[in-house]
Amino acid sequence: MLRFISRRLLVMIPMVLLISVIVFFVIQLPPGDFMSSYIAKMEASNEVFDQNTIARMRAQYGLDQPWYVQYAKWIAGILTRGDFGYSFSYNRPVWDVLSQRMGTTLAISLTTMAFTYLFSIPAGIYSAVKQYSFGDYLLSVIGFLGMGTPNFLFAIILMVISYNWFGDPMLGLVSQQFVNQPMSWAKLLDILKHMIIPVIVIGTANTCGLIRTMRSQLLDEISRPYVLTARAKGLSEKRILYKYCVRAALNPIASTIGWSLTSIFTGSTISAIVMNLPTQGPLLHQALLNQDMYLAGSWLLLMTVMILLGTILSDILLAWLDPRIRYVKAR
Amino acid sequence: MNQNKKKPQGGLLRRLLGQMGFLPQRMVVDETEAYYAASQWQLMGRKFRKHKLARIAMVVLGLLYLQALLGQFIAPQGLTTYSSAFVNCGPTPIRIVDDSGRLRAPFVYGIATERDPVTMRKHYTEDRSRIYPIQFFTRGEPYRFLGLFESDLHLFGVGEGGRIFLYGTDGGGRDLFSRIVLGSQVSLSLPLVGLSVSFVLGLVIGSISGYFGGIVDSIIQRLIEVLMSFPTLPLWMALSAAIPPRVPMLQMYLLITMILSLLSWTGLARTVRGKFMSLREEDYVMAARLAGVSDRKIIMTHLIPGFMSYLIVSMTMSVPAMIIGETSMSFLGLGLRSPVTSWGVLLKEAQEIQNVALYSWKLIPLVYVIVTVISFNFFGDGLRDAADPYT
């Protein structure tokens, strides 16, 4: 097992390096750089720059060098000092900007995940046991609608409903009057209220997918011969279902936990922009619009690394839960 | 929904379904002989027809594409036509009963404008003194049909002086219905163009990988793994941020298409490679080889048709992601931009919640997106079931 894990981690290293090259290449693709968009913005408010100042500012940020030199400096900084570069628009190191939003991102992602699993597993079991019942069809329809509606559009619909009914679109994570207040019960309640829409929006697609998976997995298990054996031996239906079938059906679902956390992380990008959440998503959007290249680059790199880690975690979980896979891999 | 997964036992279920009207009559009668004589594609067609939702989805998609094809004819107005007198005007109600309670052919009332004395916002009401019957195949704004010939024939319209906005107007006083219909030409064609690009890429790269094996295969597989580990939407966003703001319409369209297909060929290449590798070892390939059939012929006539159906299925399944990708990027202002019009571009007006709350018809493009995506999902589902007609 340890060898399996370490080998997977070792393979990751060249992949991450390759990814970082691609990311940086993509990020510097837009014509112009932060300076040119900054100057354009400043000139709109009647500030004039002479060529010397511009050149000096470019040189200060290393923007006058070719992209591979900038890349080499960037990656060297990450590897030697853990320095992800400087965010031009925030005037702070990239890492500061990213880590500041890490807490809220994690909180929303974890809540969403808990919601996803707590709802989808029982729903999947119900759907499989009562196959072709009204509830099953209802869940199927909801499932397809949920998978078909793009998350961020779903967010708009819910926000409009909330605006029409409560007069508040629930933008952001906390109401205006609580922004600079210390933590209190009222504020916590307010935050929880603001979490409802994000959790539903971000979780729906995943939940619907999981219900479908759970349903089909359980249907597969229920028709296995061992169920017949168990029934012939006089085990109660409940015991057959929960002790044997559900357990076996949960394997593939449990193994995707790692993967689904990262998918929530990155999948929520656009809905977070729409809902104006203080998470990582809007950060990328702003960074791309402002050509804040180190911020956007580090964001993409970190997310990709997280996806890689999530995949590895899923593989490990799967190998741990299902011995058959481990043996095949070892050979 | 899953009844087609289980094969009818002894024809009982089939007869039952036939009696309830789920199956056409000719399928209820004994068809064992026809079943064994049918070709693979016939079997697929038969199985696909059994998937009710997929059939409905196919009809819906057919209508949507027909509407896109005939866009200029169906839309009463062009993309750039606007009237500043009718900004944010609600959908025009179509009536069949007039004030005196008399039933008559569909008509609309004239639109009267008044200002709210408090908010100064424009209000549109029906001017019941003016009646405009809806005319079909009427002459209106001239257009160039698919770039082929000039015409001014429109599907419907109201006479001189009247206005008909089926879905209301946008903030620029442009008819939303026309814009949705014309926008569907972009929104619906873009995933197909993107698909063809990624289809060719996936087929070529996948075959190379599966056919040569060895070091070439490893390199390609690692590359695919790297591409697959990127978060799709954020990378699309980053790439489309690289498109210069002032590029010609056609070029922007092509660039966005390229971006969308750049990441989506990987899954296909994997399928092709896997199929290549497993089919290569099949007995019938060995038999063909022993019979002296050339490699090229084996690949073209025995291998590729063997997994073509899987390819088509996996292509269909990736359409929804492309539509959602294009819509969300255009919505965020990173993808297509005006004057190119797609559903995502139209939805940009829905970014302001207050705007939507006041003018709810601005969400109508959203309905089109959802219907299209769900239809493609069901269609792909039906195709997937049909792709394996022997189970």
Side-chain angles (χ1 to χ4, degrees):
Chain A
M1 196 69 190
L2 244 148
R3 256 189 64 198
F4 171 64
I5 297 174
S6 53
R7 209 181 61 210
R8 288 300 308 253
L9 287 175
L10 274 179
V11 172
M12 218 182 110
I13 295 172
M15 268 179 85
V16 169
L17 280 177
L18 185 57
I19 284 168
S20 70
V21 176
I22 298 177
V23 161
F24 199 85
F25 180 74
V26 168
I27 289 305
Q28 59 79 41
L29 268 183
D33 49 35
F34 176 73
M35 279 299 129
S36 48
S37 66
Y38 178 74
I39 288 161
K41 220 181 278 171
M42 282 294 139
E43 271 172 358
S45 53
N46 285 330
E47 228 174 287
V48 190
F49 290 87
D50 63 273
Q51 284 302 316
N52 283 334
T53 328
I54 296 172
R56 211 180 53 238
M57 280 161 80
R58 279 229 165 83
Q60 186 191 339
Y61 291 119
L63 290 174
D64 50 347
Q65 285 152 329
W67 75 270
Y68 44 86
V69 177
Q70 295 183 37
Y71 167 75
K73 283 188 176 164
W74 182 58
I75 200 78
I78 294 177
L79 290 178
T80 53
R81 286 169 280 138
D83 173 15
F84 281 83
Y86 195 75
S87 161
F88 305 129
S89 48
Y90 284 84
N91 266 325
R92 291 218 319 259
V94 165
W95 184 246
D96 271 15
V97 182
L98 284 177
S99 56
Q100 196 189 10
R101 299 209 168 194
M102 205 48 118
T104 42
T105 311
L106 266 179
I108 291 180
S109 303
L110 289 177
T111 320
T112 308
M113 239 177 95
F115 162 82
T116 305
Y117 283 94
L118 282 181
F119 182 74
S120 61
I121 291 174
I125 294 175
Y126 171 84
S127 232
V129 174
K130 299 246 160 63
Q131 199 187 1
Y132 301 142
S133 69
F134 175 72
D136 180 30
Y137 278 121
L138 188 71
L139 281 172
S140 296
V141 170
I142 294 176
F144 276 114
L145 278 176
M147 285 195 284
T149 317
N151 278 356
F152 72 101
L153 297 178
F154 192 39
I156 298 178
I157 298 175
L158 285 186
M159 272 154 56
V160 169
I161 291 175
S162 158
Y163 182 80
N164 281 345
W165 288 2
F166 308 112
D168 179 6
M170 299 277 175
L171 278 167
L173 207 55
V174 66
S175 299
Q176 205 65 55
Q177 71 262 31
F178 288 112
V179 169
N180 287 318
Q181 299 243 328
M183 202 55 168
S184 64
W185 281 112
K187 186 174 180 179
L188 187 71
L189 212 67
D190 187 65
I191 291 179
L192 284 180
K193 231 167 59 189
H194 279 86
M195 289 271 271
I196 297 173
I197 292 181
V199 165
I200 294 177
V201 165
I202 300 169
T204 305
N206 246 321
T207 311
C208 296
L210 274 177
I211 293 178
R212 301 302 300 170
T213 323
M214 185 70 205
R215 178 178 182 273
S216 61
Q217 286 290 334
L218 196 56
L219 280 176
D220 274 0
E221 289 298 327
I222 283 177
S223 53
R224 288 273 167 88
Y226 76 80
V227 178
L228 196 66
T229 316
R231 203 166 283 150
K233 286 171 82 177
L235 256 68
S236 74
E237 284 297 318
K238 228 182 175 154
R239 208 177 155 85
I240 297 175
L241 186 65
Y242 290 107
K243 182 119 198 269
Y244 298 96
C245 297
V246 169
R247 250 196 203 183
L250 272 179
N251 264 0
I253 290 186
S255 65
T256 55
I257 283 188
W259 186 81
S260 86
L261 181 65
T262 50
S263 87
I264 287 175
F265 239 78
T266 59
S268 64
T269 308
I270 290 183
S271 355
I273 296 170
V274 174
M275 292 182 287
N276 199 12
L277 295 177
T279 56
Q280 307 285 10
L283 216 55
L284 176 74
H285 188 216
Q286 284 309 316
L288 286 176
L289 291 179
N290 295 332
Q291 301 207 343
D292 195 348
M293 57 189 246
Y294 291 116
L295 183 57
S298 308
W299 191 100
L300 271 178
L301 182 62
L302 282 179
M303 285 301 156
T304 317
V305 170
M306 280 196 45
I307 292 182
L308 279 176
L309 283 176
T311 319
I312 291 180
L313 188 70
S314 289
D315 283 357
I316 293 171
L317 271 174
L318 197 64
W320 178 57
L321 283 170
D322 196 338
R324 285 170 297 184
I325 289 168
R326 191 166 44 213
Y327 294 139
V328 173
K329 284 233 160 120
R331 244 182 268 145
Chain B
M1 194 170 304
N2 268 334
Q3 64 233 35
N4 42 16
K5 283 226 171 103
K6 291 218 165 64
K7 221 166 161 187
Q9 300 275 311
L12 184 67
L13 179 62
R14 179 168 290 183
R15 208 163 301 144
L16 209 67
L17 284 175
Q19 277 162 6
M20 290 192 295
F22 280 121
L23 295 177
Q25 197 54 43
R26 66 192 153 74
M27 294 183 68
V28 186
V29 296
D30 185 50
E31 55 171 22
T32 338
E33 213 166 314
Y35 179 82
Y36 288 114
S39 77
Q40 192 188 3
W41 291 98
Q42 277 173 326
L43 286 180
M44 285 187 203
R46 188 171 298 170
K47 199 151 179 197
F48 181 80
R49 275 196 295 276
K50 275 198 224 163
H51 199 305
K52 227 182 154 196
L53 282 168
R55 257 166 55 203
I56 298 174
M58 195 167 77
V59 174
V60 172
L61 288 178
L63 288 175
L64 280 171
Y65 274 96
L66 188 71
Q67 174 211 265
L69 198 67
L70 302 177
Q72 276 91 348
F73 165 66
I74 293 176
Q77 291 190 357
L79 272 178
T80 46
T81 316
Y82 70 97
S83 47
S84 44
F86 300 101
V87 173
N88 291 328
C89 174
T92 320
I94 295 172
R95 312 208 171 254
I96 47 170
V97 180
D98 66 8
D99 267 350
S100 53
R102 211 151 39 93
L103 197 70
R104 50 190 298 167
F107 67 94
V108 296
Y109 286 115
I111 301 171
T113 321
E114 55 191 50
R115 279 207 187 268
D116 188 311
V118 184
T119 58
M120 295 305 284
R121 195 179 293 135
K122 257 190 185 175
H123 267 294
Y124 299 95
T125 47
E126 290 179 314
D127 176 2
R128 300 209 167 222
S129 61
R130 291 183 290 152
I131 284 177
Y132 300 100
I134 293 175
Q135 303 158 357
F136 290 96
F137 301 105
T138 160
R139 301 279 161 189
E141 216 174 282
Y143 57 86
R144 220 179 150 70
F145 187 75
L146 298 176
L148 294 177
F149 56 87
E150 302 271 349
S151 169
D152 60 352
L153 193 69
H154 289 268
L155 179 64
F156 68 94
V158 289
E160 196 63 33
R163 293 282 181 173
I164 179 164
F165 306 119
L166 276 188
Y167 293 160
T169 63
D170 66 1
R174 291 169 294 194
D175 177 32
L176 195 56
F177 176 74
S178 305
R179 285 173 71 72
I180 288 179
V181 169
L182 295 173
S184 68
Q185 293 182 330
V186 171
S187 284
L188 291 176
S189 69
L190 200 133
L192 293 194
V193 178
L195 270 191
S196 1
V197 175
S198 60
F199 191 79
V200 173
L201 274 176
L203 200 62
V204 170
I205 297 178
S207 326
I208 292 175
S209 191
Y211 191 78
F212 289 105
I215 183 94
V216 182
D217 180 42
S218 315
I219 292 176
I220 292 178
Q221 287 314 303
R222 290 298 89 73
L223 183 73
I224 288 180
E225 265 167 39
V226 167
L227 280 180
M228 274 184 149
S229 56
F230 276 112
T232 320
L233 266 172
L235 192 66
W236 277 346
M237 283 164 65
L239 279 169
S240 51
I243 299 178
R246 273 179 290 277
V247 293
M249 269 167 77
L250 186 69
Q251 210 178 331
M252 192 194 296
Y253 178 89
L254 288 178
L255 281 171
I256 293 281
T257 317
M258 293 306 288
I259 289 173
L260 290 180
S261 46
L262 197 66
L263 287 181
S264 56
W265 60 268
T266 49
L268 190 82
R270 281 213 153 166
T271 322
V272 172
R273 170 181 174 267
K275 285 284 158 198
F276 238 95
M277 289 189 150
S278 68
L279 287 182
R280 218 170 40 182
E281 312 297 326
E282 286 282 327
D283 287 345
Y284 72 87
V285 177
M286 175 68 85
R289 198 166 287 148
L290 286 178
V293 184
S294 71
D295 270 356
R296 202 176 136 262
K297 201 170 174 202
I298 291 180
I299 293 176
M300 297 307 283
T301 61
H302 297 300
L303 287 179
I304 290 190
F307 57 80
M308 203 42 151
S309 51
Y310 287 94
L311 294 191
I312 294 172
V313 172
S314 78
M315 301 304 312
T316 321
M317 301 298 250
S318 61
V319 173
M322 278 201 179
I323 296 179
I324 294 180
E326 186 271 313
T327 310
S328 32
M329 289 196 306
S330 306
F331 173 78
L332 290 176
L334 286 169
L336 296 170
R337 277 165 282 228
S338 247
V340 187
T341 306
S342 75
W343 293 339
V345 175
L346 294 179
L347 277 172
K348 239 165 140 176
E349 277 205 29
Q351 241 170 355
E352 291 267 317
I353 296 302
Q354 278 81 351
N355 204 349
V356 183
L358 281 173
Y359 315 115
S360 52
W361 55 89
K362 288 187 178 168
L363 278 182
I364 293 176
L366 182 68
V367 178
Y368 277 77
V369 176
I370 294 176
V371 166
T372 312
V373 167
I374 290 178
S375 300
F376 264 112
N377 272 336
F378 281 134
F379 185 61
D381 220 40
L383 282 185
R384 184 176 51 194
D385 284 356
D388 215 356
Y390 299 107
T391 52

